[in-house]
Amino acid sequence: MHSKEDPVLSKIFIYPIKSLAGIELDHALISNDGIMHPDNHSVIDRKWMIVDSQRSFLSQRKLPKMTLIRPKVDNEHIVLSAPNKTEARFLIDYKGEIVKCRLWSDHLDCYSYGVDSEISKWLSNVLQCENLDLVCLKNLGERRDGDFSTFMVLSEASLQDLNSRLAIKVSIVNFRANLVVQNCSSYAEDNWRKFIISQVSFVRTKNCIR
């Protein structure tokens, strides 16, 4: 990282399903579409999302309980767990009916798992919202929404500075960053135009409003 400081990568997170909890990794693969899970390369950051009956994406802004659902990769499946609920699982490499779903201002082709599928019924039950559907983006390269960038970087120093001014402390996971760095000054990452992690080059596209 082109700086007088010497930042180092301290944590890696992948969020397979938009707005659900993430998975902390000790190593990961990098693609143009985002972070790939090392145990199954078909699991890519925010490849899946949950949509309502109008096929519009849902997020924690509307359903805060989404953050309580935790995914994990189990061979060819992703397993979801939630407090006081039995686990549910769905097949990773699944190609169902292609439907148009709204992600902010974009309408993208997605593979639908089906409102009547076990996984979608489970999500509807946990989130107490009828007729939800789990969908998988057909082409990750089509994502252009204002809330999306392929990677998000946050420093531990920035979090520490914020918490020093808050009565109720927040965690690094509140910000849903993919790459967490340490050994730099607070908010230094806001000004990194280019940086390298393990021979992979990154270029800043914008600062996240979070």
PDB file of all heavy atoms in Angstrom, residues 142-161:
ATOM      1  N   GLU A 142     -23.072  -7.783 -13.929  1.00  0.00           N
ATOM      2  CA  GLU A 142     -24.114  -6.805 -14.243  1.00  0.00           C
ATOM      3  C   GLU A 142     -24.409  -5.864 -13.088  1.00  0.00           C
ATOM      4  O   GLU A 142     -25.105  -4.870 -13.257  1.00  0.00           O
ATOM      5  CB  GLU A 142     -25.409  -7.529 -14.636  1.00  0.00           C
ATOM      6  CG  GLU A 142     -25.333  -8.257 -15.975  1.00  0.00           C
ATOM      7  CD  GLU A 142     -26.653  -8.914 -16.312  1.00  0.00           C
ATOM      8  OE1 GLU A 142     -27.533  -8.985 -15.430  1.00  0.00           O
ATOM      9  OE2 GLU A 142     -26.812  -9.348 -17.469  1.00  0.00           O
ATOM     10  N   ARG A 143     -23.904  -6.171 -11.895  1.00  0.00           N
ATOM     11  CA  ARG A 143     -24.230  -5.335 -10.740  1.00  0.00           C
ATOM     12  C   ARG A 143     -23.612  -3.957 -10.899  1.00  0.00           C
ATOM     13  O   ARG A 143     -22.421  -3.804 -11.029  1.00  0.00           O
ATOM     14  CB  ARG A 143     -23.723  -5.990  -9.456  1.00  0.00           C
ATOM     15  CG  ARG A 143     -24.373  -7.310  -9.141  1.00  0.00           C
ATOM     16  CD  ARG A 143     -23.783  -7.949  -7.909  1.00  0.00           C
ATOM     17  NE  ARG A 143     -22.390  -8.322  -8.096  1.00  0.00           N
ATOM     18  CZ  ARG A 143     -21.682  -9.031  -7.226  1.00  0.00           C
ATOM     19  NH1 ARG A 143     -22.247  -9.432  -6.105  1.00  0.00           N
ATOM     20  NH2 ARG A 143     -20.421  -9.341  -7.464  1.00  0.00           N
ATOM     21  N   ARG A 144     -24.458  -2.938 -10.847  1.00  0.00           N
ATOM     22  CA  ARG A 144     -23.977  -1.562 -10.974  1.00  0.00           C
ATOM     23  C   ARG A 144     -24.614  -0.662  -9.929  1.00  0.00           C
ATOM     24  O   ARG A 144     -24.479   0.549  -9.998  1.00  0.00           O
ATOM     25  CB  ARG A 144     -24.307  -0.995 -12.355  1.00  0.00           C
ATOM     26  CG  ARG A 144     -23.735  -1.751 -13.527  1.00  0.00           C
ATOM     27  CD  ARG A 144     -24.033  -1.057 -14.847  1.00  0.00           C
ATOM     28  NE  ARG A 144     -25.450  -0.846 -15.032  1.00  0.00           N
ATOM     29  CZ  ARG A 144     -26.307  -1.743 -15.505  1.00  0.00           C
ATOM     30  NH1 ARG A 144     -25.872  -2.946 -15.830  1.00  0.00           N
ATOM     31  NH2 ARG A 144     -27.586  -1.467 -15.638  1.00  0.00           N
ATOM     32  N   ASP A 145     -25.341  -1.230  -8.965  1.00  0.00           N
ATOM     33  CA  ASP A 145     -26.114  -0.407  -8.046  1.00  0.00           C
ATOM     34  C   ASP A 145     -25.216   0.441  -7.163  1.00  0.00           C
ATOM     35  O   ASP A 145     -24.053   0.130  -6.925  1.00  0.00           O
ATOM     36  CB  ASP A 145     -27.026  -1.273  -7.176  1.00  0.00           C
ATOM     37  CG  ASP A 145     -26.241  -2.221  -6.303  1.00  0.00           C
ATOM     38  OD1 ASP A 145     -25.851  -3.299  -6.782  1.00  0.00           O
ATOM     39  OD2 ASP A 145     -26.005  -1.853  -5.148  1.00  0.00           O
ATOM     40  N   GLY A 146     -25.781   1.545  -6.684  1.00  0.00           N
ATOM     41  CA  GLY A 146     -25.010   2.512  -5.918  1.00  0.00           C
ATOM     42  C   GLY A 146     -24.514   1.995  -4.589  1.00  0.00           C
ATOM     43  O   GLY A 146     -23.623   2.580  -3.978  1.00  0.00           O
ATOM     44  N   ASP A 147     -25.072   0.897  -4.093  1.00  0.00           N
ATOM     45  CA  ASP A 147     -24.663   0.342  -2.815  1.00  0.00           C
ATOM     46  C   ASP A 147     -23.546  -0.677  -2.972  1.00  0.00           C
ATOM     47  O   ASP A 147     -23.059  -1.215  -1.993  1.00  0.00           O
ATOM     48  CB  ASP A 147     -25.882  -0.342  -2.169  1.00  0.00           C
ATOM     49  CG  ASP A 147     -25.748  -0.443  -0.659  1.00  0.00           C
ATOM     50  OD1 ASP A 147     -25.166   0.470  -0.074  1.00  0.00           O
ATOM     51  OD2 ASP A 147     -26.239  -1.427  -0.077  1.00  0.00           O
ATOM     52  N   PHE A 148     -23.160  -0.952  -4.216  1.00  0.00           N
ATOM     53  CA  PHE A 148     -22.264  -2.077  -4.457  1.00  0.00           C
ATOM     54  C   PHE A 148     -20.897  -1.646  -4.973  1.00  0.00           C
ATOM     55  O   PHE A 148     -20.773  -0.815  -5.849  1.00  0.00           O
ATOM     56  CB  PHE A 148     -22.881  -3.043  -5.473  1.00  0.00           C
ATOM     57  CG  PHE A 148     -21.982  -4.216  -5.751  1.00  0.00           C
ATOM     58  CD1 PHE A 148     -21.951  -5.295  -4.896  1.00  0.00           C
ATOM     59  CD2 PHE A 148     -21.123  -4.196  -6.824  1.00  0.00           C
ATOM     60  CE1 PHE A 148     -21.095  -6.354  -5.128  1.00  0.00           C
ATOM     61  CE2 PHE A 148     -20.260  -5.253  -7.065  1.00  0.00           C
ATOM     62  CZ  PHE A 148     -20.254  -6.334  -6.209  1.00  0.00           C
ATOM     63  N   SER A 149     -19.871  -2.252  -4.408  1.00  0.00           N
ATOM     64  CA  SER A 149     -18.533  -2.225  -4.968  1.00  0.00           C
ATOM     65  C   SER A 149     -17.978  -3.617  -4.728  1.00  0.00           C
ATOM     66  O   SER A 149     -18.395  -4.317  -3.810  1.00  0.00           O
ATOM     67  CB  SER A 149     -17.672  -1.165  -4.294  1.00  0.00           C
ATOM     68  OG  SER A 149     -16.438  -1.048  -4.954  1.00  0.00           O
ATOM     69  N   THR A 150     -17.059  -4.055  -5.558  1.00  0.00           N
ATOM     70  CA  THR A 150     -16.614  -5.442  -5.492  1.00  0.00           C
ATOM     71  C   THR A 150     -15.989  -5.803  -4.150  1.00  0.00           C
ATOM     72  O   THR A 150     -16.169  -6.910  -3.650  1.00  0.00           O
ATOM     73  CB  THR A 150     -15.604  -5.715  -6.623  1.00  0.00           C
ATOM     74  OG1 THR A 150     -16.123  -5.192  -7.846  1.00  0.00           O
ATOM     75  CG2 THR A 150     -15.376  -7.202  -6.795  1.00  0.00           C
ATOM     76  N   PHE A 151     -15.271  -4.866  -3.549  1.00  0.00           N
ATOM     77  CA  PHE A 151     -14.647  -5.098  -2.246  1.00  0.00           C
ATOM     78  C   PHE A 151     -14.851  -3.857  -1.375  1.00  0.00           C
ATOM     79  O   PHE A 151     -14.909  -2.743  -1.888  1.00  0.00           O
ATOM     80  CB  PHE A 151     -13.140  -5.348  -2.388  1.00  0.00           C
ATOM     81  CG  PHE A 151     -12.792  -6.456  -3.327  1.00  0.00           C
ATOM     82  CD1 PHE A 151     -12.485  -6.186  -4.655  1.00  0.00           C
ATOM     83  CD2 PHE A 151     -12.780  -7.769  -2.900  1.00  0.00           C
ATOM     84  CE1 PHE A 151     -12.174  -7.205  -5.537  1.00  0.00           C
ATOM     85  CE2 PHE A 151     -12.466  -8.802  -3.775  1.00  0.00           C
ATOM     86  CZ  PHE A 151     -12.168  -8.518  -5.103  1.00  0.00           C
ATOM     87  N   MET A 152     -14.931  -4.082  -0.086  1.00  0.00           N
ATOM     88  CA  MET A 152     -14.975  -2.965   0.857  1.00  0.00           C
ATOM     89  C   MET A 152     -13.863  -3.138   1.869  1.00  0.00           C
ATOM     90  O   MET A 152     -13.676  -4.229   2.421  1.00  0.00           O
ATOM     91  CB  MET A 152     -16.318  -2.887   1.573  1.00  0.00           C
ATOM     92  CG  MET A 152     -16.393  -1.723   2.563  1.00  0.00           C
ATOM     93  SD  MET A 152     -18.001  -1.629   3.360  1.00  0.00           S
ATOM     94  CE  MET A 152     -17.650  -0.438   4.659  1.00  0.00           C
ATOM     95  N   VAL A 153     -13.112  -2.066   2.109  1.00  0.00           N
ATOM     96  CA  VAL A 153     -11.956  -2.081   3.002  1.00  0.00           C
ATOM     97  C   VAL A 153     -12.228  -1.170   4.197  1.00  0.00           C
ATOM     98  O   VAL A 153     -12.762  -0.062   4.036  1.00  0.00           O
ATOM     99  CB  VAL A 153     -10.685  -1.602   2.269  1.00  0.00           C
ATOM    100  CG1 VAL A 153      -9.479  -1.629   3.208  1.00  0.00           C
ATOM    101  CG2 VAL A 153     -10.424  -2.451   1.038  1.00  0.00           C
ATOM    102  N   LEU A 154     -11.862  -1.636   5.381  1.00  0.00           N
ATOM    103  CA  LEU A 154     -12.025  -0.836   6.596  1.00  0.00           C
ATOM    104  C   LEU A 154     -10.839  -1.110   7.514  1.00  0.00           C
ATOM    105  O   LEU A 154     -10.376  -2.248   7.611  1.00  0.00           O
ATOM    106  CB  LEU A 154     -13.332  -1.218   7.302  1.00  0.00           C
ATOM    107  CG  LEU A 154     -13.651  -0.491   8.613  1.00  0.00           C
ATOM    108  CD1 LEU A 154     -13.879   0.992   8.365  1.00  0.00           C
ATOM    109  CD2 LEU A 154     -14.878  -1.109   9.274  1.00  0.00           C
ATOM    110  N   SER A 155     -10.369  -0.068   8.192  1.00  0.00           N
ATOM    111  CA  SER A 155      -9.252  -0.261   9.117  1.00  0.00           C
ATOM    112  C   SER A 155      -9.753  -0.383  10.553  1.00  0.00           C
ATOM    113  O   SER A 155     -10.776   0.199  10.932  1.00  0.00           O
ATOM    114  CB  SER A 155      -8.265   0.911   9.020  1.00  0.00           C
ATOM    115  OG  SER A 155      -8.802   2.081   9.609  1.00  0.00           O
ATOM    116  N   GLU A 156      -9.022  -1.151  11.343  1.00  0.00           N
ATOM    117  CA  GLU A 156      -9.355  -1.284  12.755  1.00  0.00           C
ATOM    118  C   GLU A 156      -9.219   0.056  13.476  1.00  0.00           C
ATOM    119  O   GLU A 156      -9.981   0.357  14.404  1.00  0.00           O
ATOM    120  CB  GLU A 156      -8.442  -2.328  13.400  1.00  0.00           C
ATOM    121  CG  GLU A 156      -8.667  -3.743  12.879  1.00  0.00           C
ATOM    122  CD  GLU A 156      -7.778  -4.772  13.561  1.00  0.00           C
ATOM    123  OE1 GLU A 156      -7.105  -4.409  14.560  1.00  0.00           O
ATOM    124  OE2 GLU A 156      -7.762  -5.928  13.119  1.00  0.00           O
ATOM    125  N   ALA A 157      -8.287   0.889  13.018  1.00  0.00           N
ATOM    126  CA  ALA A 157      -8.090   2.203  13.642  1.00  0.00           C
ATOM    127  C   ALA A 157      -9.318   3.095  13.451  1.00  0.00           C
ATOM    128  O   ALA A 157      -9.691   3.847  14.355  1.00  0.00           O
ATOM    129  CB  ALA A 157      -6.849   2.874  13.065  1.00  0.00           C
ATOM    130  N   SER A 158      -9.944   3.013  12.294  1.00  0.00           N
ATOM    131  CA  SER A 158     -11.152   3.806  12.048  1.00  0.00           C
ATOM    132  C   SER A 158     -12.262   3.389  12.999  1.00  0.00           C
ATOM    133  O   SER A 158     -12.985   4.227  13.552  1.00  0.00           O
ATOM    134  CB  SER A 158     -11.607   3.642  10.595  1.00  0.00           C
ATOM    135  OG  SER A 158     -10.621   4.119   9.703  1.00  0.00           O
ATOM    136  N   LEU A 159     -12.414   2.081  13.189  1.00  0.00           N
ATOM    137  CA  LEU A 159     -13.434   1.581  14.109  1.00  0.00           C
ATOM    138  C   LEU A 159     -13.135   2.032  15.533  1.00  0.00           C
ATOM    139  O   LEU A 159     -14.039   2.460  16.269  1.00  0.00           O
ATOM    140  CB  LEU A 159     -13.513   0.061  14.041  1.00  0.00           C
ATOM    141  CG  LEU A 159     -14.517  -0.581  14.992  1.00  0.00           C
ATOM    142  CD1 LEU A 159     -15.945  -0.231  14.590  1.00  0.00           C
ATOM    143  CD2 LEU A 159     -14.334  -2.091  15.028  1.00  0.00           C
ATOM    144  N   GLN A 160     -11.883   1.950  15.945  1.00  0.00           N
ATOM    145  CA  GLN A 160     -11.510   2.363  17.293  1.00  0.00           C
ATOM    146  C   GLN A 160     -11.794   3.844  17.515  1.00  0.00           C
ATOM    147  O   GLN A 160     -12.294   4.241  18.572  1.00  0.00           O
ATOM    148  CB  GLN A 160     -10.033   2.051  17.541  1.00  0.00           C
ATOM    149  CG  GLN A 160      -9.723   0.563  17.619  1.00  0.00           C
ATOM    150  CD  GLN A 160      -8.235   0.257  17.582  1.00  0.00           C
ATOM    151  OE1 GLN A 160      -7.403   1.165  17.516  1.00  0.00           O
ATOM    152  NE2 GLN A 160      -7.894  -1.024  17.606  1.00  0.00           N
ATOM    153  N   ASP A 161     -11.508   4.657  16.510  1.00  0.00           N
ATOM    154  CA  ASP A 161     -11.771   6.094  16.632  1.00  0.00           C
ATOM    155  C   ASP A 161     -13.265   6.357  16.762  1.00  0.00           C
ATOM    156  O   ASP A 161     -13.695   7.166  17.590  1.00  0.00           O
ATOM    157  CB  ASP A 161     -11.215   6.835  15.419  1.00  0.00           C
ATOM    158  CG  ASP A 161     -11.496   8.333  15.486  1.00  0.00           C
ATOM    159  OD1 ASP A 161     -10.795   9.026  16.240  1.00  0.00           O
ATOM    160  OD2 ASP A 161     -12.438   8.788  14.804  1.00  0.00           O
TER     161      ASP A 161
END
